[in-house]
Amino acid sequence: DIPATFFSSEWLKNVDGMYGIEIDGDWLQGQYERKIVVSVQPSNIPDEEFNPLENGVLLYMIQGSKVSKYSKEELALQDAGISNDKWYYVALSIPTMVIFALVCIYFFLHYNGKYRDFSDVTQAALGKRHRVLGEVSKMKKFRKMKNHKYSELPSYNEKSSKQ
Amino acid sequence: AREVIRPKADKETTSEELKPWLRTIYSTKAEIVTPTVIAGVTFSAKPAATPDPLEPWVSLNKDGSPKTIKPELKNGRTKNPHPEYSTYFQTASVRTFSYEELKAHNMDPNDVYEEEVFIDEDKTYVSLNPIIRCTPERYFMKGSANDISSQPFCTPRENTSWKVGKTYFVSWFTRFFEDEFSGEVVENVRVHLSYVKEKASEKGFHKR
């Protein structure tokens, strides 16, 4: 029960000088990576006196990348005629449903065409609403306004030298 | 309906099967050895009847994953030969010889000659391990300033990554665990893996 220790091997023969460890996914505790320390406890040091963090090697334990390639197990299943092709049905069903919906809409519009009335939004209807203002001089508001012609405006001649 | 495809049965020849084998140790003692396979490496395999000097051996990568090395013969020399361990696994002792034993012509009759002798280790079980052994010359430097020796470890190296589902070998120098008083090498050891709390600044910044 050494603190922070999540794996302890059984007592091994020191003469071997090595130990193979297979990394278990559960050790990551749901995380992608964990920093760990590897240490070796000799039998002449009791558990209470041994601190794994004192003399060890720091390293990382990672989930690793997934290669999208058929594994041996998947290939074996394929050989047995078992394949997981759910994605294939999903990929095919989406465009099929869209095409089916478009066809339905087409026939719906085609058969209901005679019941449709868009006369209130046609060009003729919009034209009726259009109002022509006409000339400004004929407008009631500006009818009495005298608008002099440009020729009637006062002009100034050049003065003679006698003046 | 479609025809059922029957999965192919794994073909296994008799030569591939790992069968226990019998050997005689310490001249008279019979022992049954059972080979085991860890991460593709066969331990305690029966040695070939005729030893092959170019027989492959297993090295370890920095993370401790095994790597098979095939020695080659090039220009009369062996490239990537089996590792030599110098005197790391030998015991040094001093043997004294008197004049009567040696009868050396240049030795004083009252003098004693001392010779350093290296006694080889017991290779009964060590020889069954095909993986390179850890020696102090294979230590690496660790720590943020690369100034701390990794003793007693050779693999894995610091800040390497262990991927889930793979097998890695932790290797250490066996003679590191010597009893201070008796000088005897410790018989048993235990490997521990412990979580380390990472600093917020360290999270997600290590080389992947």
Side-chain angles (χ1 to χ4, degrees):
Chain A
D1 295 321
I2 296 161
T5 300
F6 61 93
F7 172 82
S8 292
S9 71
E10 67 278 18
W11 287 105
L12 317 158
K13 280 186 177 177
N14 179 38
V15 73
D16 293 336
M18 63 185 61
Y19 182 65
I21 301 172
E22 190 179 350
I23 309 304
D24 192 341
D26 293 340
W27 295 345
L28 282 170
Q29 296 179 323
Q31 295 184 29
Y32 177 75
E33 67 172 31
R34 294 288 311 244
K35 198 175 186 179
I36 58 165
V37 66
V38 181
S39 51
V40 172
Q41 177 192 5
S43 57
N44 61 349
I45 298 178
D47 287 355
E48 302 80 48
E49 288 175 28
F50 179 72
N51 184 0
L53 308 176
E54 254 176 36
N55 293 304
V57 181
L58 284 166
L59 56 119
Y60 292 88
M61 198 166 59
I62 62 166
Q63 184 66 51
S65 53
K66 265 201 169 183
V67 180
S68 47
K69 192 174 146 185
Y70 287 120
S71 65
K72 281 180 184 175
E73 291 77 20
E74 285 171 329
L75 289 170
L77 284 171
Q78 279 184 7
D79 282 347
I82 304 159
S83 60
N84 185 15
D85 44 11
K86 266 185 189 171
W87 69 271
Y88 187 71
Y89 295 121
V90 172
L92 269 181
S93 63
I94 292 168
T96 311
M97 288 299 287
V98 170
I99 291 165
F100 180 73
L102 287 172
V103 170
C104 287
I105 290 166
Y106 172 79
F107 283 111
F108 177 81
L109 293 175
H110 184 74
Y111 285 110
N112 290 293
K114 52 190 171 187
Y115 304 113
R116 261 194 326 269
D117 182 15
F118 293 122
S119 58
D120 56 333
V121 288
T122 54
Q123 195 62 37
L126 289 170
K128 281 176 191 171
R129 289 185 195 173
H130 184 72
R131 196 156 62 98
V132 179
L133 293 172
E135 288 177 31
V136 176
S137 58
K138 287 176 184 173
M139 288 179 189
K140 199 179 176 182
K141 192 177 178 182
F142 302 106
R143 205 174 289 162
K144 290 177 181 176
M145 192 179 77
K146 284 185 178 177
N147 193 14
H148 297 281
K149 287 182 179 175
Y150 182 75
S151 57
E152 291 175 4
L153 287 171
S155 56
Y156 300 94
N157 296 324
E158 281 185 14
K159 286 180 181 176
S160 62
S161 57
K162 285 176 183 177
Q163 286 177 327
Chain B
R2 65 176 179 184
E3 201 182 336
V4 175
I5 306 159
R6 300 201 180 281
K8 291 169 191 170
D10 291 335
K11 285 180 183 174
E12 207 171 64
T13 58
T14 49
S15 60
E16 285 173 342
E17 283 177 13
L18 293 168
K19 287 179 178 175
W21 53 284
L22 191 72
R23 68 168 180 167
T24 310
I25 55 170
Y26 307 123
S27 305
T28 52
K29 204 175 173 184
E31 187 183 66
I32 298 165
V33 182
T34 310
T36 48
V37 179
I38 302 167
V41 181
T42 311
F43 291 85
S44 308
K46 190 179 180 180
T50 48
D52 181 11
L54 299 178
E55 197 185 338
W57 54 281
V58 182
S59 179
L60 293 174
N61 289 319
K62 284 180 181 178
D63 57 2
S65 54
K67 180 174 67 175
T68 306
I69 307 289
K70 289 176 182 171
E72 288 173 35
L73 205 62
K74 267 190 179 176
N75 302 327
R77 288 190 175 193
T78 314
K79 198 182 163 188
N80 300 326
H82 283 252
E84 295 291 332
Y85 302 113
S86 184
T87 56
Y88 286 119
F89 297 104
Q90 293 176 337
T91 311
S93 68
V94 178
R95 195 177 165 189
T96 52
F97 296 93
S98 63
Y99 177 79
E100 281 72 33
E101 283 176 298
L102 291 176
K103 302 271 187 204
H105 70 93
N106 57 348
M107 193 176 168
D108 191 78
N110 300 323
D111 212 356
V112 174
Y113 172 69
E114 288 182 345
E115 192 184 51
E116 199 179 34
V117 182
F118 287 96
I119 303 160
D120 226 345
E121 66 174 338
D122 178 10
K123 286 189 175 171
T124 310
Y125 294 99
V126 171
S127 61
L128 299 175
N129 184 355
I131 296 183
I132 187 169
R133 297 173 76 188
C134 180
T135 53
E137 64 182 10
R138 288 184 55 233
Y139 286 160
F140 56 94
M141 301 308 275
K142 63 176 186 175
S144 53
N146 261 6
D147 57 347
I148 306 163
S149 174
S150 69
Q151 58 182 4
F153 296 101
C154 286
T155 58
R157 292 209 173 184
E158 200 167 56
N159 292 329
T160 49
S161 296
W162 278 0
K163 286 179 184 171
V164 168
K166 289 196 172 183
T167 304
Y168 299 91
F169 287 95
V170 179
S171 62
W172 62 90
F173 180 46
T174 54
R175 293 253 171 157
F176 179 80
F177 301 112
E178 266 185 354
D179 196 288
E180 277 180 54
F181 306 106
S182 64
E184 283 182 6
V185 179
V186 169
E187 201 176 329
N188 294 317
V189 291
R190 210 151 65 140
V191 176
H192 297 289
L193 300 182
S194 317
Y195 290 124
V196 181
K197 202 173 182 184
E198 239 177 328
K199 287 178 191 172
S201 58
E202 287 176 340
K203 273 187 180 175
F205 280 97
H206 92 270
K207 197 177 174 183
R208 284 185 189 164

